[in-house]
Every structure is written in structure tokens, then in C-alpha cells.
């Protein structure tokens, strides 16, 4: 295993984004297998860099704050849609029935 693959493996081993970490490792392994081929670096290098940046594993990405960290907090409820606001504003329909709530049907 080369230094590139070893470094990427070490940095991505416990990363919560398993798919992107696996992609970064695949890029590193392909680059290692193509050592000495200038086209490989030109073709694969930018892809590896983008994945590493998405994982906040580059100085630039870390300086920018990196990716959003997952939290255990409950998601913030979405603001009511315009239709929901109109339903709240005008109340029941013309026949006196309550507005239909699509989420409960």
C-alpha cells in the first residue's frame, strides 16, 4: 500500500460519510496503481480532491468550516406552505367541512 492510499485510509477510516470515504479510498488506490502515468493524475486527481474537500480533509475545507455535522437534534419543522396558510386564514370550506389535511390521508 502506498503512502497516498495509507493516508486516505487513515483519514477516512471513522468518517461518518462512509460512501464518500469509500470513493476517496478508491480514487487513492487507482492513483497508486497508475504511478508514473501522467494522465492518471490529470484524470483522477481532481476527483480525489473534490471528495476530500467534501469530507473536510483539506486545509481549505477545514478553514471554511467543513461539511455540516450530523446532529441528534430533531429536525426543525418546515414553515407552513402558502396553501396551508390560506387554509388557516379562511377556515372550513363552503360546505362547512374542515379543510383536508393531505398529511393524514
Amino acid at each position: 500500500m502506498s503512502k497516498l492510499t495509507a493516508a486516505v485510509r487513515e483519514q477516512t477510516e471513522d468518517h461518518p460519510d462512509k460512501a464518500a470515504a469509500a470513493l476517496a479510498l478508491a480514487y487513492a488506490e487507482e492513483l497508486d496503481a497508475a504511478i508514473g502515468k501522467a494522465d492518471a493524475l490529470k484524470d483522477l486527481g481532481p476527483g480525489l480532491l473534490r471528495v476530500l474537500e467534501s469530507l473536510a480533509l483539506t486545509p481549505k475545507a477545514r478553514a471554511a468550516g467543513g461539511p455540516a455535522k450530523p446532529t441528534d437534534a430533531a429536525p426543525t419543522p418546515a414553515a407552513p406552505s402558502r396553501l396551508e396558510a390560506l387554509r388557516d386564514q379562511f377556515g372550513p370550506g363552503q360546505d362547512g367541512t374542515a379543510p383536508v389535511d393531505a398529511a393524514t390521508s
Side-chain angles (χ1 to χ4, degrees):
M1 176 181 341
S2 80
K3 290 182 180 182
L4 176 61
T5 298
V8 170
R9 178 171 282 135
E10 179 183 325
Q11 293 298 313
T12 60
E13 192 170 56
D14 296 324
H15 201 283
D17 188 344
K18 299 295 184 203
L23 180 59
L25 189 57
Y27 269 117
E29 290 169 346
E30 284 294 317
L31 280 165
D32 284 340
I35 288 178
K37 297 178 184 171
D39 286 343
L41 185 58
K42 182 179 77 175
D43 294 339
L44 299 172
L48 176 58
L49 181 60
R50 282 190 302 273
V51 175
L52 293 176
E53 285 176 344
S54 77
L55 294 170
L57 296 176
T58 65
K60 179 181 175 183
R62 286 190 296 270
K69 304 289 185 215
T71 64
D72 293 332
T76 305
S81 70
R82 179 157 162 66
L83 179 58
E84 290 169 326
L86 287 171
R87 285 180 181 153
D88 291 343
Q89 180 182 354
F90 292 105
Q94 290 178 348
D95 61 358
T97 60
V100 176
D101 184 0
T104 60
S105 51

